[in-house]
Amino acid sequence: MANENSPLLAYQLLGEEGVAFPANGAGGPGGASARKLSTFLGVVVPTVLSMFSIVVFLRIGFVVGHAGLLQALAMLLVAYFILALTVLSVCAIATNGAVRGGGAYFMISRTLGPEVGGSIGLMFYLANVCGCAVSLLGLVEAVLDVFGTDATGSSGLRVLPQGYGWSLLYGSLLLGLVGGVCTLGAGLYARASFLTFLLVSGSLASVLVSFVAVGPRIIHLTPRPGSNGSSLLPQVGHFTGFNSSTLKANLGAGYSKDYTTGAMMTFASVFAVLFNGCTGIMAGANMSGELKDPSRAIPLGTIVAVAYTFFIYILLFFLSSFTCDRTLLQEDYGFFRAISVWPPLVLIGIYATSLSASMSSLIGASRILHALAQDDLFGMILAPAKVVSRGGNPWGAVLYSWVLVQLVLLAGKLNTLAAVVTVFYLVAYAAVDLSCLSLEWASAPNFRPTFSLFSWHTCLLGVASCLLMMFLISPGAAGGSLLLMGLLSALLTARGGPSSWGYVSQALLFHQVRKYLLRLDVRKEHVKFWRPQLLLLVGNPRGALPLLRLANQLKKGGLYVLGHVTLGDLDCLPSDPVQPQYGAWLSLVDRAQVKAFVDLTLSPSVRQGAQHLLRISGLGGMKPNTLVLGFYDDTPPQDHFLTDPAFSEPAEGTQEGGSPALSTLFPPPRAPGSPRALSPQDYVATVADALKMNKNVVLARACGALPPERLSRGSGGTSHLHHVDVWPLNLLRPRGGPGYVDVCGLFLLQMATILGMVPAWHSARLRIFLCLGPREAPGAAEGRLRALLSQLRIRAKVQEVMWGDVAGSGEPEEEEGDFVNSRRGDEEAEALACSANALVQAQQGRGRRGGPGGPDGGDGEEGPTTALTFLYLPRPPADPARYPHYLALLDILSRDLGPTLLIHGVTPVTCTDL
């Protein structure tokens, strides 16, 4: 085999556990050497700390006090059900292949493509940046509540000055500490996170012990303004210990005003606060570039972390409901300090969770940014984030993120931004669910994750749940996030992205197209739904660009296939020469902006290759029904690559990205007098073969002379008026007759009408020429034809011409094709062809002069010109020896007529029924 390269050959086995990583170090920022974190330190610890955050210490009373135990449990179940659906999708994707750095961004971009993945990745990065700032400001506020000079609590030390500037200074100092830990690498971050985890766990343990060890007590609360806002009302809360009456009183909901905001709480608002604190399930996945075995660590660690936090939340909800009255829960969200056996330990837990959440957000943001920079989706703006240390730590991305967090800190209060952060997280979660859903629906054989506890139902439900939560938390932020995602996707689409990642959209399209092709039953075809399905045989596209575009206009939403025959015998060749050519032909299709497929074949002769393509092109009910060929004459081909603006190439002959220029992938046009790959005999034989196979045939001549505005994609305008002339009868017949009503004549009318439906041809006027015999009265046949056109809904101008001037003899009428088979002699047939050619040219000239019979009815010189002429193509003669004579007659008939289509239709294409 000529090429047996496989992506698997770029992998080597590392370590003793048989884990495969890219040999070039693509597994993470610094290659395999940077992968040093275990499942516990790399996934469990950061995920647990992110999901706890400050909510576990300061919002348990808020949720239970307002919603009651039953609704609080329902909220928790719903929140974790939504998160669990996303966790299942993360586990499925993570166990389907090697996961590189970037976590959720890597999973989304390598599935949905760079446009969607890049936009959501940037939003997820911004969410982490803002999340870091929110955690730091929350930590500053928590510190100032105890140590600030304006602290209201009785136990405050009041040593730290307060104010906007001081808060910014404290936040910046804490950010410096967090940034320093993240800059020194994932190893130090993991150790710092583990230390934080121990502190938080110790603090939670003290709280759990306090519920049991502390006896009933009265807790004096901070006085709140009365209902009229004029006085302070002293309040007390009761810690009752385990008491069934307290539990009974706390079972139901008791929504009231939040003392921190003054807003009336509802189920939705309380649920939004609870859910905000749980959105940290991607903290471990963001560290995918530093994990020893991300495909195992991410699903296992995430599931363990989610289960652990769920158990702790349930336990705290029950203990709070059993021991604290509703006044205490609603009026002191930090009541853990008041009931703790050692209150400072609760403060340590609050500070530790805030600090760990900020570290997790910052290091996660830096890893996402580094992956975005490595993929080069946003150009030079992210170039500094590519810088890594010798050990593989992306310190450039950390500093980049540190600067952005510092800018966000300048905003000060970020309560409104917290909802935006959560919404951005949910967008990323929905995208992960959508990625897994797409892979499952595509039914790709290579999607076989080792984690199997998921289905397309869970993925779809996860997408719907995340979108619902987005609008429940903040409708404005949800709408804005989707708009931002759309704008970023449009920007990345305009810039263009890598095409080597694999797009799941292609797999989905394949799956759907195959399904609908099977349902496209050829036995149910009906003439009223007929459309042209073209096979255009092209020798060298350099000389056929106008014909490529004209055929694209004639297809009317039907199948369009570009066919090419490469001469050769596979038995005599080391490999198939056709396969490497597909890339050039597909680039041609893109550059010419035609909606066509490409089908190439290898054959000893062009005629045999054309037979192959006519038989096997297409699939199911989508197969070509019309063969299009360029006309066979001695006119030297033009190189349209040199004149067409769409094919202009750089002087050095390369395109952007270093790929070869399209002009270098196709040979120069055939020089005048050089040998041709197809003989006149085989050319006519190919036409005959197509008719025998019940295919319509179109021969196109002089398409290079078509007006450029008629080949454009837009409207042709009205600056140049043109005619489209149709001669729906066989001009090589010796006698006239009702040829315009036969199948072939109607096919000509249909093709001309289809062309008129194209925007570039809307302004062109359709003219149909009706030939009269010597004994036919003028007007009678025209009336019959107008009636037929009315039934067919075709708008055209009908002009009568005297057929007797051409036929000229009173001999008995013979069968169609007699002059082609020509028993009377070549001279008489050529004379008839010359006369017919002169007749057509005369009618074209009358249009140009605007003379009598022309549209203007005057003698001016500015009448519309004929842009395209449709002629009836006679069948080839039955005797192959007459093929050269047949081609010579066609050459005489269509000579000097400008752009001309000679058409022979064999299938009915028009219908007068509804």
Side-chain angles (χ1 to χ4, degrees):
M1 296 176 64
N3 185 5
E4 298 187 8
N5 291 329
S6 168
L8 293 178
L9 300 182
Y11 281 67
Q12 61 183 0
L13 294 179
L14 299 176
E16 298 178 356
E17 299 181 359
V19 181
F21 295 113
N24 60 359
S33 62
R35 295 180 176 270
K36 57 183 69 172
L37 297 184
S38 64
T39 301
F40 181 74
L41 291 178
V43 181
V44 176
V45 169
T47 304
V48 167
L49 293 176
S50 295
M51 295 188 71
F52 275 158
S53 65
I54 205 169
V55 172
V56 73
F57 291 102
L58 296 182
R59 286 297 180 265
I60 295 296
F62 169 83
V63 174
V64 177
H66 287 288
L69 177 62
L70 296 180
Q71 288 194 20
L73 291 176
M75 291 179 185
L76 191 66
L77 288 173
V78 172
Y80 269 78
F81 176 72
I82 295 173
L83 297 175
L85 294 175
T86 302
V87 169
L88 296 180
S89 299
V90 170
C91 295
I93 298 177
T95 59
N96 189 54
V99 180
R100 290 169 49 187
Y105 159 70
F106 180 83
M107 299 178 190
I108 297 169
S109 62
R110 295 322 189 263
T111 303
L112 300 181
E115 294 84 5
V116 177
S119 60
I120 295 178
L122 184 60
M123 294 171 61
F124 195 39
Y125 166 73
L126 295 176
N128 278 274
V129 167
C130 295
C132 178
V134 169
S135 298
L136 289 173
L137 286 175
L139 176 57
V140 170
E141 291 181 2
V143 171
L144 293 178
D145 283 343
V146 178
F147 301 101
T149 55
D150 298 332
T152 57
S154 59
S155 60
L157 298 182
R158 300 181 177 86
V159 294
L160 295 178
Q162 290 185 247
Y164 169 78
W166 289 106
S167 295
L168 178 61
L169 175 61
Y170 302 147
S172 300
L173 292 175
L174 291 172
L175 176 60
L177 173 64
V178 171
V181 172
C182 296
T183 303
L184 293 177
L188 181 59
Y189 162 76
R191 289 190 289 271
S193 294
F194 181 63
L195 177 60
T196 307
F197 179 76
L198 292 179
L199 293 175
V200 173
S201 299
S203 180
L204 284 175
S206 73
V207 171
L208 296 176
V209 170
S210 299
F211 278 112
V212 179
V214 175
R217 63 176 61 177
I218 296 175
I219 300 172
H220 294 277
L221 306 176
T222 302
R224 310 292 180 199
S227 57
N228 58 5
S230 59
S231 61
L232 298 179
L233 301 178
Q235 295 188 85
V236 294
H238 296 84
F239 178 77
T240 64
F242 287 94
N243 189 303
S244 59
S245 299
T246 303
L247 174 63
K248 185 177 180 180
N250 287 331
L251 287 178
Y255 295 106
S256 62
K257 288 186 177 181
D258 175 17
Y259 71 83
T260 62
T261 63
M264 185 67 185
M265 293 294 99
T266 62
F267 181 91
S269 59
V270 174
F271 183 45
V273 170
L274 174 63
F275 194 84
N276 284 343
C278 301
T279 53
I281 57 175
M282 291 294 183
N286 290 340
M287 301 300 297
S288 58
E290 280 80 13
L291 297 174
K292 292 179 181 178
D293 184 3
S295 295
R296 179 179 179 274
I298 290 175
L300 178 60
T302 305
I303 290 175
V304 169
V306 170
Y308 174 72
T309 56
F310 179 72
F311 172 75
I312 296 297
Y313 275 123
I314 287 284
L315 190 58
L316 290 175
F317 280 3
F318 270 106
L319 292 176
S320 300
S321 300
F322 263 107
T323 60
C324 302
D325 69 357
R326 193 175 293 272
T327 301
L328 177 61
L329 295 176
Q330 289 184 342
E331 298 298 331
D332 186 4
Y333 299 152
F335 71 95
F336 283 173
R337 287 174 54 203
I339 67 171
S340 176
V341 292
W342 190 44
L345 195 55
V346 177
L347 284 179
I348 292 174
I350 293 173
Y351 300 158
T353 53
S354 298
L355 197 62
S356 66
S358 61
M359 280 196 302
S360 176
S361 296
L362 183 60
I363 199 166
S366 66
R367 270 46 182 179
I368 296 170
L369 181 66
H370 179 71
L372 283 166
Q374 289 289 89
D375 291 335
D376 201 25
L377 296 182
F378 293 93
M380 293 300 296
I381 192 173
L382 298 184
K386 295 182 181 180
V387 181
V388 297
S389 66
R390 184 176 302 177
N393 180 46
W395 62 269
V398 175
L399 293 180
Y400 200 110
S401 303
W402 178 86
V403 172
L404 290 182
V405 174
Q406 184 65 60
L407 292 176
V408 177
L409 286 177
L410 294 174
K413 300 292 184 180
L414 292 178
N415 292 333
T416 56
L417 192 58
V420 177
V421 172
T422 303
V423 167
F424 277 16
Y425 280 139
L426 286 171
V427 170
Y429 297 167
V432 172
D433 288 319
L434 181 61
S435 299
C436 191
L437 176 66
S438 302
L439 291 170
E440 180 70 8
W441 272 352
S443 301
N446 281 324
F447 182 62
R448 42 180 186 271
T450 57
F451 182 87
S452 58
L453 298 179
F454 77 100
S455 70
W456 68 267
H457 305 84
T458 63
C459 300
L460 183 60
L461 191 56
V463 174
S465 301
C466 290
L467 293 177
L468 178 62
M469 280 305 308
M470 286 167 52
F471 286 94
L472 180 63
I473 292 173
S474 175
S481 65
L482 295 179
L483 177 61
L484 177 61
M485 184 182 70
L487 294 175
L488 290 174
S489 298
L491 172 64
L492 292 174
T493 301
R495 287 195 77 249
S499 59
S500 59
W501 293 357
Y503 292 75
V504 74
S505 58
Q506 296 297 305
L508 287 171
L509 287 173
F510 177 89
H511 184 73
Q512 293 300 109
V513 167
R514 180 195 63 83
K515 180 173 72 174
Y516 286 113
L517 272 177
L518 290 173
R519 297 175 62 180
L520 189 60
D521 193 345
V522 295
R523 296 168 295 182
K524 297 179 180 179
E525 288 182 349
H526 193 277
V527 63
K528 65 184 178 182
F529 300 119
W530 179 90
R531 67 182 72 232
Q533 304 197 82
L534 309 179
L535 169 62
L536 171 60
L537 288 184
V538 180
N540 188 339
R542 283 177 173 271
L545 275 181
L547 179 54
L548 258 67
R549 293 195 170 105
L550 179 62
N552 185 64
Q553 295 174 331
L554 286 170
K555 70 180 187 304
K556 186 52 180 175
L559 180 68
Y560 180 23
V561 179
L562 292 182
H564 174 73
V565 180
T566 299
L567 297 179
D569 188 349
L570 195 58
D571 291 337
C572 304
L573 297 171
S575 62
D576 184 8
V578 169
Q579 296 302 321
Q581 300 178 23
Y582 271 96
W585 284 87
L586 292 175
S587 298
L588 169 73
V589 169
D590 294 337
R591 194 72 67 85
Q593 296 183 318
V594 296
K595 298 177 181 179
F597 298 94
V598 174
D599 213 344
L600 311 179
T601 189
L602 180 70
S603 178
S605 69
V606 175
R607 179 186 178 186
Q608 291 184 24
Q611 292 176 358
H612 298 165
L613 294 173
L614 282 169
R615 291 187 184 278
I616 66 175
S617 289
L619 192 64
M622 293 187 66
K623 297 184 74 67
N625 56 27
T626 303
L627 173 66
V628 183
L629 296 169
F631 194 78
Y632 196 101
D633 57 16
D634 295 328
T635 304
Q638 302 177 26
D639 190 350
H640 294 283
F641 277 18
L642 301 178
T643 58
D644 196 301
F647 289 82
S648 58
E649 303 285 1
E652 60 271 17
T654 59
Q655 300 179 22
E656 293 183 5
S659 57
L662 195 61
S663 58
T664 65
L665 301 178
F666 295 101
R670 174 180 53 84
S674 60
R676 306 176 71 161
L678 187 64
S679 66
Q681 185 80 17
D682 282 349
Y683 177 82
V684 179
T686 300
V687 175
D689 293 340
L691 294 175
K692 291 176 183 178
M693 299 166 69
N694 203 39
K695 308 291 185 184
N696 311 298
V697 175
V698 178
L699 304 182
R701 185 170 192 178
C703 287
L706 281 167
E709 65 270 18
R710 298 299 176 185
L711 296 179
S712 64
R713 294 172 60 86
S715 174
T718 58
S719 57
H720 299 284
L721 296 179
H722 294 112
H723 285 146
V724 174
D725 293 347
V726 182
W727 297 78
L729 79 164
N730 186 357
L731 292 177
L732 295 184
R733 270 181 153 181
R735 302 287 285 169
Y740 56 86
V741 294
D742 69 0
V743 170
C744 184
L746 292 176
F747 188 89
L748 263 75
L749 292 176
Q750 183 78 336
M751 296 299 285
T753 303
I754 289 174
L755 186 64
M757 296 177 180
V758 179
W761 291 86
H762 278 171
S763 62
R765 302 175 181 177
L766 182 61
R767 294 193 302 178
I768 301 176
F769 290 93
L770 179 61
C771 298
L772 302 179
R775 290 184 292 273
E776 289 187 78
E782 180 181 349
R784 295 194 301 270
L785 179 58
R786 289 190 183 278
L788 176 63
L789 295 177
S790 176
Q791 288 183 314
L792 297 177
R793 290 87 62 200
I794 297 176
R795 298 179 61 183
K797 179 178 181 179
V798 179
Q799 286 189 224
E800 293 181 334
V801 295
M802 293 304 299
W803 176 243
D805 295 342
V806 178
S809 69
E811 298 177 8
E813 188 176 322
E814 300 189 21
E815 296 297 325
E816 177 187 348
D818 279 0
F819 255 106
V820 171
N821 287 280
S822 189
R823 296 181 180 179
R824 302 183 175 188
D826 295 347
E827 294 80 4
E828 189 177 354
E830 291 176 3
L832 180 62
C834 287
S835 299
N837 176 267
L839 175 64
V840 175
Q841 287 196 53
Q843 296 303 317
Q844 291 180 344
R846 295 181 71 179
R848 280 190 288 269
R849 291 189 303 271
D856 299 326
D859 297 326
E861 299 291 336
E862 300 298 330
T865 59
T866 298
L868 185 62
T869 301
F870 286 77
L871 295 182
Y872 188 117
L873 175 68
R875 276 185 174 272
D879 183 6
R882 304 294 303 165
Y883 284 175
H885 174 62
Y886 169 80
L887 187 58
L889 290 179
L890 297 182
D891 179 62
I892 296 172
L893 175 64
S894 58
R895 185 178 298 162
D896 299 327
L897 296 183
T900 304
L901 297 181
L902 294 99
I903 299 177
H904 191 94
V906 296
T907 55
V909 295
T910 58
C911 179
T912 58
D913 296 333
L914 181 62

